[in-house]
Amino acid sequence: AKPGDWPRCIALPTAAGKTACIDIAVFALAYQAALAPEKRTAPRRIFFVVDRRVVVDQAYEHAKTLAGKLAAAKDGVLLQVAAVLKRIAGCECKSPCACRPLDVYALRGGMYRESAWVRSPLQPTVITSTVDQVGSRLLFRGYGVSDASQPLHAALVGNDAMILLDEAHCARPFDQTMTLVRKYRQWTEDGHALPLPFHFVTMTATPATEIPGEQIERLEKDDWADDVFGKRLTANKPARIVVADKAKGAKWREELVKELVGQAMRLWKDDS
């Protein structure tokens, strides 16, 4: 496939490394930096969406590490990618500058809502978010978003954007909404899709039955036989039920934390 082309669904099991799709999407954008905007298929904005706050935070840390390495790059591929990402963002500096090659933000409940990601439609950006934060903005709403800003948020989510939906089997309504949005983007006066790239990719071990088989990326035989990846896929993942008997009453939280720490220390000692 051409750089920037994506399957409709990536069918991989949990812990297979789907977060690395962020890195792939960033590199695909850099690869197409020399193309005219109407020919580019790799979007500027990459939304990693999952209905789990802890996973949102983990993906954010992953993307932040990537952005940091690009910003600090001195040579090699990282420097080349950083340079072209800056050019995509509109940087015209002739010497080393403070322009950022990649911005990274997290959008979820229970934290300060960041709106700086809408400062420029040109800036390559990774946004990790929960379903409701991205979905509400796409549909001209948004938590804490003013009426005047709602069209701006909707435009930036719905155009020149890729939405990677992790654990898609847990967010079927959002999956269905995004499928319709992709369809509506074809409803133009001249019969052609809107010119800016837009991709919606679900990531789940159990793809929806309505997705054609040829649009699903699955594991190949060689993946299972790989010395590193194959062992990760087939590794034992033992589990047991532990009842925190003392986690009751007014001190339930303190006792639960003690039990969790104790179990973590036990696993650490067993592994060492």
Side-chain angles (χ1 to χ4, degrees), residues 159 179-195:
N159 295 281
T179 300
L180 289 174
V181 168
R182 287 209 316 167
K183 179 181 178 180
Y184 292 153
R185 292 186 87 257
Q186 310 289 327
W187 290 11
T188 58
E189 292 182 357
D190 58 3
H192 297 289
L194 295 175

Side-chain angles (χ1 to χ4, degrees), residues 174-227:
F174 183 75
D175 187 337
Q176 294 165 352
T177 299
M178 292 306 308
T179 300
L180 289 174
V181 168
R182 287 209 316 167
K183 179 181 178 180
Y184 292 153
R185 292 186 87 257
Q186 310 289 327
W187 290 11
T188 58
E189 292 182 357
D190 58 3
H192 297 289
L194 295 175
L196 293 175
F198 182 83
H199 298 289
F200 173 58
V201 181
T202 56
M203 300 188 294
T204 174
T206 54
T209 55
E210 61 266 22
I211 300 177
E214 64 273 12
Q215 297 181 20
I216 301 176
E217 183 74 18
R218 299 182 184 275
L219 291 172
E220 303 290 343
K221 185 177 180 180
D222 291 345
D223 295 322
W224 293 96
D226 184 81
D227 289 340

